[in-house]
Amino acid sequence: MAGLDLLFRARRVVTADGEAARSVGVRGGTVVAVEPLDAGLDAAEVIELGDDEVLLPGLVDSHVHVNDPGRTEWEGFGTATRAAAAGGVTTIVDMPLNSVPPTVDAAALRVKREAAEGRVHVDVGFWGGAVPGNLRELRGLHDAGVFGFKCFLLHSGVDEFPHLEPGELADALREIRAFDALMIVHAEDPHVIDHAPPAHGASYRDFLRSRPRDAENLAVARVIELARRTGCRVHILHLSSSDALPMIRSARHDGVRITVETCPHYLTFSAEEITEGATQFKCCPPIREAANRESLWQGLADGTIDCVVSDHSPCTPELKRFDTGDFGAAWGGIASLQLGLPAVWTEAGRRGHTPADVVRWMAERPAEVAGLSRKGRIAPGYQADFCVFAPDQAFTVDRDRLHHRNPVTPYHGRRLTGVVRGSWLRGVRIDIDGPPRGRLLNRGEI
């Protein structure tokens, strides 16, 4: 095949058909050839991967809080996308809250796009928000290019993004069903949490009691029932309660259009290992017990859980309240955008999974859920987004070497396996110290 811009030759390439030795040819930012290693292809630039390296598609992280504009002391488009690229993530979809203004109408989307323009090292799309009073704004946001709509069923943590009551959620689902949009839901029931012991103090066990599994289970059941009634597509965010898996399987069997994600921290950590005052582990819903973690892994293995995304939700060190170690007062969010791939691979490899499994969970399925039809696979016609990964190289996480804005992460000091040695966006290697080359994406354009 003549006129290739770039050619990867590797003994291990994870394609849509599995892992094999392949030559991958790129022209004009698009994969145009996936051939046997000895196919004799040539290109203007040829990259020969080492025997210890695997070529993966660039990962897609559809759950990232960039917090820009408005809370850029927490994070920002420059720092977040550098961290993404360093972690093999070549596309992110930004959440509509924690930025000011929140992305709840087309005008706010324009403000966010202006804040991101020229500052992103990876491709960036945007979710819209569904909040009380913006029902008539949803179609305009959809037409302006958001990938779907996020809502909360309880207080979001920031007052400018209020939650939907059940009737309001039903109205929003009916509204967006008319143009076949996707609703992504933070599913915890506020009444269960209101009747649980309040979160306070340094005990993680007490914090866990304040966010019981029943809060997730009841909320997921409510979302399923409303999706069944309205026919709307729904997606459950950051599932932490494995108790909800049987009802999700049953709903799919009945034809409910529901997808589900979980996060690296739920698959890596367990409640039993979190020490007093270690508020870097606080997130909502919380990290639960080891047995629950293993059930989540089983849900991934059998396909009940579709994908693994970061829910990167950083903040300043002060907001984590390390001074008091008070789980009730600390901000709830895990900073992990750069570490998702090695964290998941470390645990997946221990359980007998393959790099192809990780690619399915962290590239293929997030792209499919978000509607990124040319992302997440190494196949002809797909964008030439790649990650070169050394799956057997181990390292110890040092928070001061991470690229997100604030040096706070529960992974600090943890030994992980798997190192990202480079990321490519549309056939060009990402230089995180050079000019940003990422693009701002609209739904339907890719």
Side-chain angles (χ1 to χ4, degrees), residues 268-390:
T268 299
F269 303 115
S270 66
E272 293 90 339
E273 70 186 274
I274 299 174
T275 58
E276 290 217 348
T279 55
Q280 65 269 30
F281 289 89
K282 180 183 175 179
C283 56
C284 299
I287 295 163
R288 303 192 187 277
E289 301 83 357
N292 180 83
R293 178 188 62 198
E294 297 312 308
S295 295
L296 292 176
W297 275 106
Q298 183 57 46
L300 270 175
D302 67 24
T304 306
I305 299 173
D306 297 89
C307 50
V308 182
V309 292
S310 69
D311 189 12
H312 179 69
S313 185
C315 66
T316 62
E318 293 76 17
L319 287 173
K320 278 296 187 182
R321 296 308 305 268
F322 295 125
D323 57 337
T324 64
D326 187 339
F327 280 98
W331 174 259
I334 301 288
S336 64
L337 180 55
Q338 186 173 333
L339 298 170
L341 176 55
V344 172
W345 169 242
T346 298
E347 298 299 321
R350 291 172 180 166
R351 292 165 175 81
H353 296 292
T354 67
D357 294 324
V358 174
V359 164
R360 183 172 65 255
W361 301 328
M362 302 188 76
E364 291 180 13
R365 289 298 286 140
E368 290 169 358
V369 169
L372 292 157
S373 60
R374 295 180 61 223
K375 298 276 193 180
R377 296 189 181 202
I378 298 176
Y382 279 71
Q383 289 204 329
D385 301 344
F386 305 112
C387 165
V388 172
F389 186 57

Side-chain angles (χ1 to χ4, degrees), residues 135-153:
L135 194 65
R136 294 184 179 180
E137 305 289 347
L138 300 181
R139 183 58 190 253
L141 271 169
H142 177 81
D143 292 344
V146 298
F147 285 80
F149 303 94
K150 180 177 185 176
C151 71
F152 278 74
L153 303 188

Side-chain angles (χ1 to χ4, degrees), residues 19 95 115 120 125 175-176 204 210 220 226 259 310 351 389 428 433:
E19 184 180 312
M95 284 292 164
V120 298
E175 174 71 13
I176 70 171
Y204 187 78
S210 76
V220 170
L226 290 175
T259 50
S310 69
R351 292 165 175 81
F389 186 57
V428 178
D433 296 317

Side-chain angles (χ1 to χ4, degrees), residues 35-205:
E35 301 291 341
L37 189 59
D38 60 358
L41 301 181
D42 203 358
E45 180 184 7
V46 178
I47 298 175
E48 301 267 1
L49 266 59
D51 289 345
D52 65 334
E53 296 176 327
V54 184
L55 186 66
L56 310 179
L59 303 188
V60 175
D61 192 335
S62 57
H63 194 151
V64 178
H65 294 269
V66 178
N67 308 331
D68 193 358
R71 290 191 173 95
T72 54
E73 70 275 18
W74 296 15
E75 191 61 282
F77 282 106
T79 51
T81 57
R82 279 197 292 272
V89 177
T90 54
T91 305
I92 67 171
V93 189
D94 174 54
M95 284 292 164
L97 73 157
N98 299 347
S99 57
V100 181
T103 315
V104 296
D105 55 39
L109 177 63
R110 287 194 294 272
V111 170
K112 181 165 280 193
R113 292 178 66 91
E114 289 168 3
E117 190 68 48
R119 298 175 55 212
V120 298
H121 292 271
V122 303
D123 285 353
V124 178
F126 302 95
W127 297 109
V131 297
N134 83 327
L135 194 65
R136 294 184 179 180
E137 305 289 347
L138 300 181
R139 183 58 190 253
L141 271 169
H142 177 81
D143 292 344
V146 298
F147 285 80
F149 303 94
K150 180 177 185 176
C151 71
F152 278 74
L153 303 188
L154 79 172
H155 194 280
S156 70
V158 291
D159 292 339
E160 68 270 10
F161 197 96
H163 69 279
L164 297 180
E165 296 293 344
E168 293 169 323
L169 174 60
D171 289 342
L173 292 177
R174 282 189 286 267
E175 174 71 13
I176 70 171
R177 173 65 180 87
F179 41 92
D180 198 31
L182 175 68
M183 182 70 80
I184 64 175
V185 185
H186 182 124
E188 288 182 284
D189 184 83
H191 305 293
V192 172
I193 290 174
D194 286 346
H195 287 86
H200 64 85
S203 167
Y204 187 78
R205 181 176 296 180

Side-chain angles (χ1 to χ4, degrees), residues 1-17:
M1 180 174 288
L4 294 176
D5 305 323
L6 173 66
L7 180 68
F8 280 96
R9 291 195 181 109
R11 297 187 180 279
R12 300 180 67 185
V13 178
V14 177
T15 72
D17 298 320

